[in-house]
């Protein structure tokens, strides 16, 4: 398989606490990998280990088919990253900021600065001091900087944090363009379902330090199970009837008075009749499908995202 990144039982402990546990992540070329998890799930810790900013307690990272020991420096040349909020010289403009970075990194081609600025939509604002930039513009400049050395992979930790909805939409479009037009692979962490749902081609769900699920978005959609949504007056009683009278256990109480039944999809009339016969009032019964939110809840055992 043509993978860009693979982690092998990556683990980080702080004191006695395991914050990332045996994490096996696979990112293939061309993926937009949405690394989804609640606050404190272990996203930043994982990304910092991946980028070599902190040392794993155990486990390994493989880049482009090579173990880190063999080729971290070489691998890093092919990766661009924004881990924390990107810092800039606020009294300098975008071009000068990027030029300083270019020289620090020993990169040759000055002409490319204008090209990356154009790529991220900052060409017109390029001579403006960065202190006058909005948060979204600074984020774009961070992305421009990460792109300067023509990376094949961009690693971005919560790149839309603090942006307003319009800013989030712009950045999302930028990622999609970069992926489609430049073939760049992305690892993007987020605690926002909507963001991952609208962007990712592959999703990794991390919860309490464990990568619970890794799935291609297409498979997620295919696998996204359909269910009967049943609105009742008494969900506990309804659950009892489903289990005891209809012999099904594949359901969950999605909200008070609302059950999602993943079984008997083609027999809503029978479900309705059985519930009614056992004195459960059914207000509504209809076929529905899982959202990423439902899926997340199921995978994590009911932990909501903020
Ligand atoms: N240097 C450290 N020392 C001790 N504990 C740490 C350290 N860094 C992180 N942790 C703990 O590890 C856990 C995971 O933190 P991490 O920052 O990786 O989560 P996250 O998924 O990035 O969360 P967020 O969405 O808030 O950014 C948290 O419980 C955090 O308190
Ligand atoms: Mg974080």
């Amino acid at each position: 398989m043509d993978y860009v990144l693979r982690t092998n039982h990556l683990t980080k402990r702080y004191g006695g606490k395991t914050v990332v546990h045996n994490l096996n992540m696979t990112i293939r070329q061309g993926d937009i990998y949405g690394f989804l998890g609640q606050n404190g799930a272990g996203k930043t810790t994982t990304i910092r280990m991946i980028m070599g900013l902190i040392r794993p307690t155990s486990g390994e990272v493989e880049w482009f088919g090579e173990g880190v020991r063999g080729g971290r420096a070489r691998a890093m040349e092919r990766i661009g990253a924004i881990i924390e909020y990107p810092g800039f010289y606020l009294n300098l403009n975008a071009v000068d900021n990027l030029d300083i970075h270019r020289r620090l990194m020993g990169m040759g081609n000055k002409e490319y600065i204008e090209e990356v600025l154009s790529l991220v939509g900052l060409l017109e604002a390029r001579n403006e001091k960065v202190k006058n930039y909005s948060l979204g513009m600074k984020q774009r400049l961070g992305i421009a900087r990460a792109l300067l050395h023509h990376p094949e992979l961009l690693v971005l930790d919560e790149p839309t944090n603090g942006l307003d909805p319009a800013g989030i939409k712009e950045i999302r479009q930028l990622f999609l363009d970069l992926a489609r037009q430049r073939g760049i692979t992305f690892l993007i962490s987020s605690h926002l379902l909507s963001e991952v749902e609208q962007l990712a081609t592959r999703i990794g769900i991390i919860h309490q330090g464990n990568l619970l699920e890794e799935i291609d978005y297409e498979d997620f959609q295919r696998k996204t199970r359909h269910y009967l949504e049943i609105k009742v007056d008494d969900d506990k009683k309804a659950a009892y009837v489903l289990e005891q009278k209809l012999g099904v256990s594949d359901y969950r109480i999605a909200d008070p008075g609302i059950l999602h039944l993943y079984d008997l999809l083609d027999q809503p009339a029978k479900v309705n009749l059985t519930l009614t016969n056992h004195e459960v009032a059914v207000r509504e019964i209809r076929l529905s499908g899982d959202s990423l939110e439902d899926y997340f809840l199921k995978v994590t055992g009911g932990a909501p995202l903020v």
Side-chain angles (χ1 to χ4, degrees):
M1 186 169 57
D2 221 8
Y3 69 89
V4 168
L5 166 73
R6 194 156 68 182
T7 69
N8 204 344
H9 298 289
L10 205 58
T11 297
K12 183 71 186 178
R13 275 193 288 276
Y14 285 115
K17 192 178 164 210
T18 303
V19 299
V20 174
H21 182 63
N22 265 341
L23 187 129
N24 297 315
M25 171 187 266
T26 311
I27 303 181
R28 291 167 319 217
Q29 198 177 358
D31 282 340
I32 300 180
Y33 189 106
F35 191 30
L36 182 66
Q38 296 166 306
N39 293 130
K43 303 181 293 295
T44 300
T45 306
T46 302
I47 288 179
R48 301 185 111 232
M49 284 194 282
I50 285 172
M51 295 305 297
L53 299 171
I54 55 172
R55 190 187 288 271
T57 306
S58 58
E60 287 118 41
V61 179
E62 283 177 51
W63 288 111
F64 307 104
E66 299 175 77
V68 152
R69 276 173 214 90
R72 172 174 287 283
R74 259 210 324 273
M76 287 299 143
E77 286 169 13
R78 299 163 70 176
I79 303 159
I82 307 180
I83 309 295
E84 254 100 59
Y85 288 106
F88 298 104
Y89 299 100
L90 297 178
N91 278 317
L92 298 182
N93 66 29
V95 175
D96 292 339
N97 265 284
L98 293 190
D99 195 39
I100 288 173
H101 181 74
R102 178 188 69 82
R103 280 184 281 150
L104 275 175
M105 304 298 283
M107 290 180 281
N109 187 355
K110 195 173 173 175
E111 287 66 58
Y112 192 54
I113 287 180
E114 300 235 326
E115 193 179 332
V116 287
L117 284 171
S118 151
L119 215 54
V120 302
L122 284 178
L123 200 57
E124 276 180 30
R126 68 187 181 282
N127 294 318
E128 187 88 33
K129 284 184 181 172
V130 171
K131 69 176 173 195
N132 298 326
Y133 275 22
S134 69
L135 197 57
M137 290 165 84
K138 281 187 195 140
Q139 205 55 274
R140 284 167 178 274
L141 185 56
I143 292 162
R145 187 167 66 188
L147 285 170
L148 261 185
H149 62 293
H150 304 270
E152 293 160 53
L153 169 73
L154 275 182
V155 176
L156 307 165
D157 190 17
E158 308 243 16
T160 56
N161 248 4
L163 298 185
D164 60 22
I168 290 178
K169 201 169 162 203
E170 276 178 27
I171 292 283
R172 188 195 312 136
Q173 194 54 50
L174 172 61
F175 293 160
L176 288 171
D177 290 346
L178 288 171
R180 284 186 199 133
Q181 290 161 18
R182 305 250 155 176
I184 293 178
T185 305
F186 282 87
L187 165 57
I188 302 175
S189 79
S190 178
H191 64 275
L192 298 174
L193 282 160
S194 58
E195 189 166 296
V196 169
E197 195 153 30
Q198 292 178 61
L199 191 62
T201 60
R202 185 163 171 82
I203 299 169
I205 295 178
I206 183 170
H207 185 57
Q208 296 174 351
N210 295 288
L211 190 67
L212 296 182
E213 179 90 15
E214 198 172 56
I215 187 167
D216 285 331
Y217 190 71
E218 278 180 13
D219 290 335
F220 157 72
Q221 279 183 313
R222 212 172 301 131
K223 210 171 129 179
T224 305
R225 299 161 73 202
H226 287 82
Y227 54 83
L228 290 175
E229 179 165 280
I230 311 168
K231 295 189 179 167
V232 294
D233 61 342
D234 184 340
D235 49 33
K236 304 231 168 28
K237 199 157 148 194
Y240 174 83
V241 174
L242 289 181
E243 290 192 24
Q244 300 301 320
K245 306 298 171 189
L246 285 165
V248 294
S249 56
D250 199 3
Y251 70 89
R252 69 185 186 93
I253 298 175
D255 273 307
I258 300 178
L259 284 89
H260 289 179
L261 173 61
Y262 297 91
D263 215 337
L264 307 175
L265 297 188
D266 52 349
Q267 299 178 58
K270 178 179 169 187
V271 174
N272 190 6
L273 189 65
T274 311
L275 286 167
T276 310
N277 282 346
H278 291 85
E279 288 164 356
V280 177
V282 178
R283 283 186 284 118
E284 192 183 325
I285 186 163
R286 66 186 179 90
L287 194 63
S288 191
D290 263 359
S291 64
L292 182 56
E293 183 174 9
D294 291 310
Y295 193 72
F296 185 90
L297 289 169
K298 225 179 304 158
V299 168
T300 60
L305 281 163
V306 285

